[in-house]
Amino acid sequence: MADSPVPVRIRQLSDLLSRHNYRYYVLDDPEISDAEYDRLMLELRELERQHPEFVSEDSPTQRVGATPVESFGVVRHPVPLLSLGNAFDREELIAWHRRVTNLLDGRPFSMVCELKMDGLAVALVYEQGRLARGATRGDGTQGENITQNLRTMKSIPLTLQGDYPPRIEVRGEVYLTKAGFAALNEERARQGLPLYANPRNSAAGSVRQLDPRITAARPLAIYVYGVGWSEGGGEALPRTHWDMMAYCREVGFRVNPLSRRFDDIDTVAAFCESWIQGRHSLPYDADGVVVKVDSLNYQQQLGFVGREPRWAIAYKFPSVQGITKLIDIGVNVGRTGSLNPYAILEPVQVGGVTIRHAALHNEDDIRRKDIRIGDFVIVQRAGEVIPEVVGPVLSRRTGAELVAFSLPDRCPECGAAVVRPEGEAMAYCPNRACPAQGYELLKHFVSRGAMDIEGIGESLCAALLEKGLVGDVADIYALTSEQLESLERMGKKSAANVIDAIQRSRTRPLSNILFALGIRHVGAETAALLVEHLGSLDAIAASSMEALTAIPGIGPKLAESIFDYFHPTDGETESAGILLVDKLRRAGVVLAAEKPVARPTPLAGMEFVFTGRLDRLTRGSAEAMVKRLGARAAGNITKKTTHVVVGEEAGTKAERAAQLGIPQMSENEFLAFIDAARSA
Ligand code: IVH
């Protein structure tokens, strides 16, 4: 090979790189490693450097070759790019189907359902198989010439493969992944630039950069969804939309693998509705499902009204973002003493729910996003997760906003000086006697998954503390029916029920008890892991840091928290944790480990892959969870994978899973799934 004449080798390398590009971006099935790809690219670069006369415009090295422009030229679209009519619910979708059926004189027809990507529409013209021009949709008849920028996107082929007409225009949506969007906004916040409100704006902003190098640095991708027009050889093209998409894929375009074709509208509606929740586990934003009549002949027959085709409709998902005013930032104290800032908002409707409060995570996060009291902020609801503040709308600042928020130096509940452990994002109230912590801890102690004491809810917890009937969680075991009956709204019968429930809780499994203690960072899974490895509460309390970190899934931060809990802090002669455990033991709580019994394995035969960053679990504890229930955990998606859990910034694994039709779930869905499996 190395002996081939230079132009031949250059051609070979270009073709090889294009093919590997196709396998990577379109098929999501790379044949070679990134390092090998880079090696081929390096060889090509070097040859082209030595022989500039052989550099062709569609060489893979030329994607970021162009110099910045002052403005974009205007492109006229020979066939206008249309918009879509919307259906906001099942009835409107069915009404559309009825209209089409009538227009087709009752003839049955198939429909293709495609996710409606929330990005920017572009039209790509290929002449003799080479990318000649790329343009934005603009007003539909005129767009901007952004060829240089689109050329930088590796998921847009510079040359087509196989058979193609001499001229063809392909249309699609350029988008940013959720992770790419978040990273971009974070970077902009750091630089004090206005944040993009949503992935569509960010994709549009990225593609419309005058300097193509900026576009090249943005993680843009495309899904192609139609052919606008073709010249010469058009008769050889497929006659259904479904086959046309398969054809687009063959010649080199990325086509969304989640598209489906159905014959009846009920299945179409079910598909659309399944994505209302399902979209949250996708790596990109979709704002609906586009339903299209499959037959291109029928499409032609149906035509347009105004700017909207009769042959397609967008089923729109309820929105998940809204903009409202941040009235104030409150701080509540969690059971481990963590100070949790939260947003107090002017009420806003998002996806049919009124939002008044939203999470703000921690002080660093607020500062990084430069969120100020008085700002207009973007709030977001995703699935079942607590709504969160995405960031400020800087363009709506008037200057009247207050300065940046900072956490109080003292606990808002007990006044203790706040501490912030090194390397941690959270600040804590260190006072174990803090009433707010006491309340949160009591609620946690009696909750399901912990001591599971039915009948003690939030208001009873508050009343018990307020009346001084309970000072710490162990005092629950000294409560009498008379004391309970003395409380408001507590009859004889309910008091007796509570006493019964308290009695039953004395024999909860050791892992529940350990979890109930509310040790910082120790969730139910870690508790189970500790019991499994160390056997008894005394052994856990006596473990060294080394012994704790030796347990798979337990890192130094976690180990330190456990160790600290069972050891006296400065000024204590004995550890408050040990004292509490002793008190529980004396109160008759059984602290023996469960006898090892054959564990049920409801997830036997399943194989999980975790991808992306999980927020509530560590990768290790998530894997331990599924293993404990009989499933396997693997690092890569293979034919054996049965479930994929997709976290933040998930990469191509999520898309690969989608292609293989492997069910995906978010972290929250995963936790619910595990819960259900456990109680099965
Ligand atoms: S078809 C005449 N398919 O939605 C049909 N559009 O509101 C026009 N979009 O401008 C487009 N995903 O930017 C179609 N699978 C998809 C789409 C899609 C996203 C966007 C596109 C278009 C807008 C129409």
Side-chain angles (χ1 to χ4, degrees), residues 522-594:
V522 177
E525 291 314 314
T526 307
L529 204 65
L530 287 164
V531 171
E532 194 172 303
H533 280 85
L534 298 168
S536 73
L537 202 50
D538 290 333
I540 296 166
S543 288
S544 64
M545 280 288 290
E546 291 70 35
L548 290 168
T549 40
I551 300 171
I554 302 219
K557 196 168 95 177
L558 195 47
E560 194 177 329
S561 167
I562 298 160
F563 186 86
D564 286 353
Y565 185 85
F566 292 111
H567 289 79
T569 53
D570 292 345
E572 283 177 347
T573 46
E574 225 169 326
S575 132
I578 295 276
L579 291 176
L580 180 63
V581 168
D582 283 345
K583 190 166 167 185
L584 285 169
R585 185 181 281 129
R586 276 183 274 115
V589 176
V590 181
L591 297 181
E594 299 145 78

Side-chain angles (χ1 to χ4, degrees), residues 82 84 114-117 121 137 173 225 290 292 309 311:
L82 300 164
L84 286 167
E114 297 168 347
L115 282 165
K116 186 168 185 296
M117 309 299 297
R137 172 177 185 273
E173 194 86 347
Y225 55 68
V290 185
K292 299 174 179 174
W311 48 264

Side-chain angles (χ1 to χ4, degrees), residues 333-377:
V333 182
R335 73 180 141 85
T336 62
S338 58
L339 299 194
N340 310 313
Y342 63 94
I344 301 165
L345 304 165
E346 223 156 66
V348 58
Q349 287 273 327
V350 179
V353 175
T354 307
I355 295 182
R356 294 188 166 80
H357 298 119
L360 278 166
H361 306 296
N362 58 55
E363 192 180 11
D364 284 355
D365 207 47
I366 297 172
R367 200 157 290 158
R368 221 156 16 98
K369 293 177 178 162
D370 190 22
I371 297 168
R372 300 184 202 174
I373 297 162
D375 261 331
F376 279 93
V377 290

Side-chain angles (χ1 to χ4, degrees), residues 273-339:
E273 285 162 357
S274 76
W275 283 109
I276 294 177
Q277 277 309 312
R279 68 177 147 158
H280 298 303
S281 36
L282 291 169
Y284 45 75
D285 265 334
D287 57 348
V289 175
V290 185
V291 183
K292 299 174 179 174
V293 171
D294 188 30
S295 154
L296 299 185
N297 291 340
Y298 282 179
Q299 284 190 7
Q300 217 165 8
Q301 212 173 308
L302 289 161
F304 312 93
V305 248
R307 307 192 60 76
E308 291 169 6
R310 289 198 189 86
W311 48 264
I313 191 151
Y315 174 92
K316 295 292 284 272
F317 300 140
S319 115
V320 290
Q321 279 199 344
I323 290 179
T324 188
K325 194 164 185 164
L326 176 61
I327 301 171
D328 202 356
I329 295 180
V331 175
N332 64 32
V333 182
R335 73 180 141 85
T336 62
S338 58
L339 299 194

